Amino acid sequence: MELEHHNDPIRLDPRALTLIADTRQGPVKMPEMGSGHNYLGYHIATMLSLHEWFNEIGSPVPRFLILDQPSQAGFPDETRGGGFGSARATLLNLYETIHASIESLAGAFQVIVLEHADLDEEPFRSAVRARWRRSNGEALVPAHWITYDSAE
């Protein structure tokens, strides 16, 4: 994912619950690795790697991961006309990484993503199951389920 220290060995310290890059200059802990892009990328890479390992060893850990708006840290809301810059390519790369992990497990793993960004490129486009927007009147919680007056 072209993250900072991506060419260095990365390890998970289970006692400190942090990632460490073993660089030539010495160990670099996750809080010292830089931007939100790095934090997000390494968190998702770690979760995907753990799930791949759980599958490999036959662990009883449930075979799904739920992510809530991974784009929030660096991708503008398309409905507000924000500029995209390299954020679109970064986000697409993230989804390609998720897709590759899912494919490598051949149906033994599912990732559920709640996302405000809406990309036209694959693999994002074909993975979308619902688009909940005010503009189309659809929502995760249908309006007719809500029984209280929101003005109260």
Side-chain angles (χ1 to χ4, degrees):
M1 286 191 278
E2 297 300 315
L3 303 170
E4 190 173 331
H5 303 295
H6 70 274
N7 288 323
D8 297 314
I10 304 290
R11 61 186 163 92
L12 175 63
D13 179 346
R15 289 195 176 138
L17 277 180
T18 191
L19 292 178
I20 299 172
D22 290 316
T23 72
R24 289 182 181 161
Q25 294 76 30
V28 177
K29 293 183 180 180
M30 182 72 159
E32 302 160 1
M33 285 190 193
S35 70
H37 167 68
N38 286 322
Y39 293 154
L40 175 67
Y42 277 120
H43 276 98
I44 290 182
T46 300
M47 296 306 298
L48 295 174
S49 296
L50 285 171
H51 276 283
E52 289 174 13
W53 181 64
F54 294 150
N55 184 69
E56 184 179 310
I57 65 170
S59 170
V61 172
R63 302 286 194 261
F64 68 92
L65 175 63
I66 298 175
L67 301 171
D68 185 16
Q69 297 186 62
S71 68
Q72 190 172 18
F75 195 81
D77 184 346
E78 291 183 33
T79 63
R80 295 190 181 128
F84 301 122
S86 65
R88 177 178 289 277
T90 298
L91 185 59
L92 183 58
N93 187 279
L94 174 78
Y95 280 109
E96 288 169 346
T97 300
I98 292 169
H99 179 75
S101 183
I102 292 167
E103 290 292 309
S104 75
L105 294 174
F109 178 56
Q110 180 181 24
V111 178
I112 300 167
V113 182
L114 305 170
E115 182 63 85
H116 74 274
D118 195 4
L119 304 175
D120 291 328
E121 296 89 356
E122 293 297 341
F124 188 92
R125 181 176 18 133
S126 62
V128 173
R129 297 296 176 250
R131 284 185 169 83
W132 299 315
R133 302 273 191 248
R134 287 184 185 153
S135 61
N136 67 13
E138 296 182 20
L140 174 62
V141 178
H144 69 275
W145 288 9
I146 301 171
T147 60
Y148 66 89
D149 184 4
S150 61
E152 292 178 9

